[in-house]
């Protein structure tokens, strides 16, 4: 599975770029170029087809709450609007989450991880029972099928075990840091599959993530065993 692509809509360019950096730091997510107006957001939503929109309420040409009426895309509000009516309106019009500014990188990361769990719960093609629907809703709030909800004693799948063994047998020691591509090569799965398992294991506390910065471009995520 490819990274989930995120469109940030905020009229403050510096805030939008900061949030894009935070999005890019979460495994499994990629920030698209931010936009600062509702008109540009509509164009980007139609042309780029993002998986998720992070939407401010206060925009120069209309409100984010009005934009919610017209974009057929999952959305989470990132806004300073803290009044109950704005919250009710956003949720009534389909927002999957609501973060009140100012918030931290960890707050945004938690919301994105919840969204990723929500997507995983609803990734199948078959019919859902009520328990599945409830699990998807809980996932958005940090519960549901999050790996950590099963506790540290839960049994590992064969792929999870293979990923952990790849990290344990990495060059140097059990503290070796590998990229998702390197893990994929060892396990024999695609890079996207390896990254998905690594992200889930990181949520479970079984894997640690470090960022390696190069001279240009996005930081590379490196994975290792806690120690």
């Amino acid at each position: 599975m490819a990274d989930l692509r995120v469109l940030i809509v905020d009229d403050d360019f510096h805030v939008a770029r900061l949030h894009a950096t935070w999005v890019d730091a979460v495994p499994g997510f990629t920030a698209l170029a931010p936009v600062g107006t509702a008109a540009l957001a509509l164009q980007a939503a139609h042309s780029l087809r993002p998986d998720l929109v992070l939407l401010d309420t206060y925009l120069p040409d209309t409100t984010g709450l009005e934009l919610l009426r017209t974009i057929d895309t999952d959305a989470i509000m990132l806004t300073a609007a803290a009044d109950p009516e704005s919250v009710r309106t956003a949720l009534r019009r389909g927002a999957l989450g609501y973060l009140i500014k100012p918030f931290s990188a960890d707050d945004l990361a938690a919301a994105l991880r919840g969204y990723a769990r929500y997507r995983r719960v609803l990734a199948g093609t078959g019919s859902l029972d009520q328990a599945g629907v409830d699990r998807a809703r809980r996932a958005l709030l940090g519960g549901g099928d999050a790996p950590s909800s099963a506790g540290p004693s839960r049994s590992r799948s064969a792929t999870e075990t293979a990923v952990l063994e790849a990290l344990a047998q990495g060059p140097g020691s059990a503290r070796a840091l590998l990229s998702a591509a390197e893990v994929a090569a060892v396990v024999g799965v695609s890079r996207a599959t390896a990254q998905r398992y690594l992200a889930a294991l990181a949520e479970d506390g079984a894997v640690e993530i470090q960022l390696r910065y190069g001279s240009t471009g996005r930081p590379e995520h490196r994975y290792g065993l806690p120690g």
Side-chain angles (χ1 to χ4, degrees):
M1 180 184 295
D3 282 0
L4 295 171
R5 300 185 307 143
V6 180
L7 175 66
I8 298 165
V9 183
D10 196 304
D11 66 336
D12 187 319
F13 173 79
H14 298 290
V15 169
R17 291 306 307 164
L18 175 63
H19 291 168
T21 300
W22 289 356
V23 168
D24 282 336
V26 180
F29 288 86
T30 295
L32 302 172
V35 296
T37 68
L40 289 174
L42 279 173
Q43 292 177 17
H46 288 303
S47 62
L48 301 177
R49 298 294 180 184
D51 298 286
L52 177 67
V53 174
L54 301 181
L55 181 58
D56 191 13
T57 297
Y58 304 115
L59 299 172
D61 48 350
T62 189
T63 69
L65 295 177
E66 286 301 316
L67 188 57
L68 274 176
R69 295 180 183 272
T70 55
I71 57 170
D72 185 22
T73 306
D74 290 343
I76 294 175
M77 303 300 297
L78 307 184
T79 176
D83 60 287
E85 183 59 29
S86 291
V87 176
R88 289 181 60 247
T89 300
L91 297 179
R92 184 169 66 246
R93 293 179 182 175
L96 297 178
Y98 201 102
L99 281 180
I100 297 175
K101 296 177 180 178
F103 50 83
S104 69
D106 288 342
D107 293 331
L108 180 56
L112 293 177
R113 288 194 295 266
Y115 176 72
R117 291 193 295 268
Y118 164 82
R119 289 285 297 253
R120 288 198 295 269
V121 173
L122 298 181
T125 57
S127 298
L128 290 169
D129 57 14
Q130 187 61 49
V133 174
D134 292 342
R135 190 164 62 251
R137 293 175 60 197
R138 289 196 304 270
L140 287 168
L141 300 176
D145 75 335
S148 57
S149 66
S153 61
R154 74 181 181 92
S155 59
R156 301 285 185 196
S157 70
T159 304
E160 285 178 315
T161 300
V163 167
L164 292 172
E165 289 177 349
L167 295 175
Q169 297 170 9
S173 70
R175 293 286 295 158
L177 296 176
L178 302 179
S179 68
E182 290 168 336
V183 171
V186 174
V187 176
V189 296
S190 70
R191 178 189 175 279
T193 296
Q195 188 171 47
R196 191 162 65 248
Y197 276 94
L198 287 163
L201 288 165
E203 290 181 40
D204 202 17
V207 167
E208 290 184 346
I209 303 174
Q210 292 187 22
L211 297 180
R212 177 174 295 177
Y213 291 87
S215 57
T216 60
R218 294 177 56 194
E220 181 185 31
H221 293 87
R222 308 289 292 186
Y223 303 86
L225 299 179

